[in-house]
Amino acid sequence: MKNFSITFIVLMVVWILLNNSFRLEILIPGAIVAFVISLFACRLCNVFVDMKLTPKAFAYTFIFLGVFFIDLIKSNLDVARRVLTPSLPINPGIVEVKTTLKSKFARMLLANAITLTPGTLTVEVKDESFFIHCIDVQDDDIEGASKDIVKKFEKYLEVIYG
Amino acid sequence: MELFGAIITLLGAIFLLIASIGLVRMPDVYNRLQVGTKATTLGTILSLIGLAIVIPGWSGKLILLIIFVMMTNPVSSHVLARAAYYIKLPYTSRTVVDKLKVSDKVLNVEMEKRYGLESKTLKVK
């Protein structure tokens, strides 16, 4: 049921954004199609099952997005600085980090957030471990690297997905 | 308002330019992926936001575009990096640490299990 309603809402939001209007003759066919699609698609997938629908989780989603965008801009500027410096100050390496997240969807979001942040790139995922290519390795043991890279996103995802 | 949007689009274009300079300057495939695929995220996002400010009627579609870029971009760069690692593309001598050490034997078993590939095809060099 949760899966169904979230799929329906996502499809409706996409439809409204595509049409850019709230007129009734656009909303009704969109609602019908979204209802049918989520009715049939939800038997096959269960990606949204782990999502919590409490107000706290909702607020944390926005905080997560904010933290993510600030980090995106900061690290973009950092990578730009590295590229333009004549001596090319890179210190690359692949480090291992551990995550405590259980849900598959949350892990996907975490890996995507890490990859979207320039300077870090998820190369491989094995069980609890993410192997991350960093453009500037600060700390090559598991705990230190986890604290640097994963913790800032993980604490929000943990509240949203449990 | 139009000027403001144009400035934001220009900022995005500068980020894209820096990304392409980085693509030339970086020493190995992983660092090129770092710069080339992801300095472009902010570049693309800023260009689209600038466009949305100039032409507000398109903003819904442009927001959708930003969401799709943000969803698909990390997946493609992850897969490229992973494939590069598993065919053993060499990395630069400045690499300080590699925690993902996969021995040839383990690697070949893994590849056969997942993709049904012959181990011989994986010997690059």
Side-chain angles (χ1 to χ4, degrees):
Chain A
M1 191 58 214
K2 195 198 275 178
N3 200 19
F4 173 80
S5 39
I6 294 175
T7 315
F8 180 76
I9 290 167
V10 168
L11 286 171
M12 266 323 267
V13 168
V14 169
W15 177 250
I16 290 168
L17 282 176
L18 265 180
N19 280 290
N20 221 352
S21 77
F22 288 95
R23 291 210 312 274
L24 208 61
E25 67 261 35
I26 284 174
L27 284 183
I28 289 174
I32 293 168
V33 174
F35 184 84
V36 172
I37 290 175
S38 37
L39 201 65
F40 287 107
C42 287
R43 288 193 204 144
L44 306 172
C45 72
N46 50 359
V47 282
F48 297 118
V49 175
D50 306 315
M51 203 185 261
K52 286 182 190 161
L53 292 177
T54 56
K56 199 182 170 198
F58 201 65
Y60 268 64
T61 310
F62 284 99
I63 299 174
F64 172 70
L65 280 177
V67 168
F68 171 67
F69 270 107
I70 289 168
D71 209 65
L72 186 69
I73 291 165
K74 252 187 354 199
S75 51
N76 253 303
L77 290 174
D78 182 60
V79 171
R81 180 182 63 76
R82 276 173 211 283
V83 168
L84 294 178
T85 313
S87 62
L88 206 64
I90 56 169
N91 189 21
I94 297 180
V95 296
E96 182 181 1
V97 298
K98 290 238 185 277
T99 173
T100 51
L101 293 172
K102 296 280 177 295
S103 139
K104 269 186 190 166
F105 192 64
R107 278 190 190 175
M108 187 203 79
L109 278 184
L110 180 64
N112 271 4
I114 289 169
T115 309
L116 262 177
T117 324
T120 52
L121 167 61
T122 317
V123 177
E124 173 67 301
V125 179
K126 264 180 199 156
D127 304 329
E128 305 265 283
S129 306
F130 287 9
F131 293 90
I132 293 171
H133 183 274
C134 291
I135 205 164
D136 180 33
V137 177
Q138 310 259 325
D139 211 342
D140 61 1
D141 64 317
I142 294 176
E143 283 81 26
S146 303
K147 216 176 110 230
D148 285 350
I149 299 168
V150 174
K151 276 285 172 292
K152 60 190 171 198
F153 299 130
E154 201 175 48
K155 63 182 176 214
Y156 301 110
L157 286 173
E158 216 154 40
V159 178
I160 303 170
Y161 294 100
Chain B
M1 213 56 202
E2 218 160 271
L3 184 70
F4 183 60
I7 289 170
I8 299 227
T9 311
L10 181 68
L11 267 179
I14 290 171
F15 270 107
L16 290 171
L17 175 69
I18 291 170
S20 38
I21 293 171
L23 210 60
V24 179
R25 292 201 69 201
M26 285 296 166
D28 68 350
V29 65
Y30 306 101
N31 291 307
R32 283 199 190 116
L33 273 176
Q34 294 272 22
V35 177
T37 64
K38 289 177 298 158
T40 57
T41 48
L42 195 60
T44 318
I45 290 170
L46 281 178
S47 315
L48 293 176
I49 289 174
L51 198 56
I53 292 169
V54 175
I55 311 169
W58 290 1
S59 50
K61 282 169 201 170
L62 292 172
I63 289 169
L64 264 189
L65 266 181
I66 291 174
I67 293 171
F68 284 133
V69 166
M70 281 177 60
M71 271 162 54
T72 51
N73 194 336
V75 177
S76 64
S77 46
H78 157 70
V79 172
L80 281 172
R82 192 166 174 281
Y85 193 89
Y86 277 115
I87 61 171
K88 302 195 200 78
L89 282 184
Y91 30 67
T92 168
S93 54
R94 292 168 78 173
T95 303
V96 285
V97 59
D98 180 9
K99 283 285 172 70
L100 178 61
K101 277 201 194 85
V102 189
S103 69
D104 284 4
K105 207 176 152 195
V106 174
L107 178 61
N108 288 342
V109 169
E110 179 94 342
M111 291 297 272
E112 265 184 56
K113 197 173 71 188
R114 290 202 191 178
Y115 307 108
L117 292 175
E118 286 287 320
S119 50
K120 277 171 203 162
T121 60
L122 296 170
K123 291 260 163 59
V124 175
K125 266 178 213 178

